């Protein structure tokens, strides 16, 4: 694990048959939240985060302002979002260290769910919005969690209205064959399920996380030198 003690939430049965062995990180632990490149196997996004809660129902982590992260850039160093959409996903890329700007992000993910929900605030802790990031369900390893972003997202406002985000990028990713028709339909299905959750105002939107605040004693996690290491063991 990256930093902090993991605690076991299950043990083998008395008969000795294998039991599901879930390992959870204690609040305050430092782990990595990573994304693999689309259409590849390498990690191109790595963000050190602090565990807020980790159990059988939810993983909640805090991405603090100023955290050193890894992000993708074009091979010449150009920020990805500045490249025209038509060539954004086909030009050679590299990765670059940078600092997370803004007021920090609280990330929430339920086991096996094909999205995570992010909370954003404006300065002064004025709640801004929820952001539903459609992605592969998180896989856990000793140092953190990994996923793959699926381009399409949903923004949810405090008044419970919502709208799709990055539909153009989702379409371009399909044109560039970063996802096939089968995966694209799976992402659309996940999006519809997330919209149903929003319409019902279910968890985590109704859980009061917008009133959460980080522990003032927490330190900002550091980015380990081996942030791109291959996990020795991965579980869902």
């Amino acid at each position: 694990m990256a930093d902090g003690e993991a605690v076991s939430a299950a043990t083998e049965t008395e008969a000795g048959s294998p039991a599901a062995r879930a390992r959870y990180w204690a609040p305050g632990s430092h782990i990595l939240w990573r994304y693999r490149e689309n259409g590849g196997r390498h990690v191109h996004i790595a963000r050190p985060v602090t565990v807020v809660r980790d159990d059988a129902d939810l993983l909640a982590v805090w991405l603090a302002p100023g955290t050193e992260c890894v992000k993708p850039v074009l091979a010449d160093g150009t920020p990805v979002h500045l490249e025209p959409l038509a060539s954004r996903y086909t030009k050679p890329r590299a990765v670059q260290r940078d600092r997370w700007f803004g007021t920090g992000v609280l990330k929430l993910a339920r086991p096996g769910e094909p999205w995570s929900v992010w909370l954003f605030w404006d300065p002064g802790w004025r709640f801004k919005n929820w952001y539903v990031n459609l992605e592969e369900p998180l896989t856990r390893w000793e140092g953190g969690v990994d996923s793959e972003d699926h381009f399409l997202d949903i923004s949810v406002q405090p008044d419970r209205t919502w709208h799709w985000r990055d539909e153009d990028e989702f379409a371009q990713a399909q044109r560039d064959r970063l996802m096939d028709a089968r995966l694209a339909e799976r992402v659309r299905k996940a999006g519809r399920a997330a919209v149903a959750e929003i319409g019902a105002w279910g968890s985590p939107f109704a859980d009061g996380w917008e009133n959460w605040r980080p522990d003032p004693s927490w330190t900002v996690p550091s980015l380990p030198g081996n942030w791109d290491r291959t996990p020795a063991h991965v579980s869902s």
Side-chain angles (χ1 to χ4, degrees):
M1 82 202 85
D3 184 4
E5 182 181 0
V7 295
S8 174
T11 58
E12 292 187 355
T13 62
E14 291 183 359
S17 61
R21 192 173 182 85
R23 294 188 65 83
Y24 302 122
W25 292 290
S29 299
H30 293 170
I31 65 171
L32 286 173
W33 185 295
R34 310 192 305 182
Y35 288 96
R36 297 180 298 275
E37 60 186 349
N38 300 96
R41 300 178 61 184
H42 298 291
V43 172
H44 72 159
I45 294 174
R47 296 167 181 163
V49 294
T50 301
V51 174
V52 175
R53 169 183 161 186
D54 186 30
D55 54 38
D57 299 318
L58 184 73
L59 171 64
V61 304
W62 171 241
L63 175 58
T67 302
E68 186 179 22
C69 302
V70 171
K71 68 177 184 179
V73 294
L74 299 186
D76 63 2
T78 300
V80 171
H81 71 276
L82 295 182
E83 179 66 21
L85 188 60
S87 53
R88 186 173 301 173
Y89 302 127
T90 55
K91 281 196 171 181
R93 290 195 179 190
V95 294
Q96 176 179 290
R97 290 177 178 241
D98 201 354
R99 297 280 175 180
W100 184 264
F101 63 92
T103 55
V105 184
L106 179 66
K107 298 187 178 190
L108 311 173
R110 295 188 291 198
E113 202 160 55
W115 66 78
S116 57
V117 178
W118 305 1
L119 284 78
F120 291 87
W121 287 265
D122 286 324
W125 285 103
R126 184 168 64 86
F127 182 62
K128 184 178 181 181
N129 67 283
W130 292 271
Y131 186 89
V132 180
N133 196 72
L134 298 173
E135 59 191 33
E136 284 294 315
L138 296 179
T139 54
R140 301 169 63 98
W141 54 288
E142 64 273 14
V145 291
D146 288 358
S147 182
E148 182 176 318
D149 184 74
H150 283 160
F151 300 96
L152 189 62
D153 306 298
I154 306 168
S155 183
V156 185
Q157 304 308 307
D159 64 1
R160 303 189 185 186
T161 59
W162 63 271
H163 63 270
W164 295 106
R165 293 280 304 267
D166 303 325
E167 293 178 276
D168 56 343
E169 295 186 359
F170 181 60
Q172 187 65 45
Q174 293 170 71
R175 287 192 290 269
D176 291 335
R177 299 183 180 180
L178 293 180
M179 58 171 58
D180 58 23
R182 185 174 180 179
L183 175 57
E185 179 52 36
R186 182 157 60 86
V187 174
R188 292 189 191 97
K189 183 178 179 181
R192 292 192 293 269
V195 167
E197 197 76 58
I198 295 165
W201 208 243
S203 184
F205 306 102
D207 296 340
W209 283 103
E210 64 273 22
N211 300 314
W212 174 87
R213 299 293 182 268
D215 187 327
S217 70
W218 285 347
T219 59
V220 176
S222 59
L223 181 70
N226 59 347
W227 58 265
D228 58 346
R229 62 192 180 277
T230 301
H233 173 72
V234 175
S235 62
S236 59

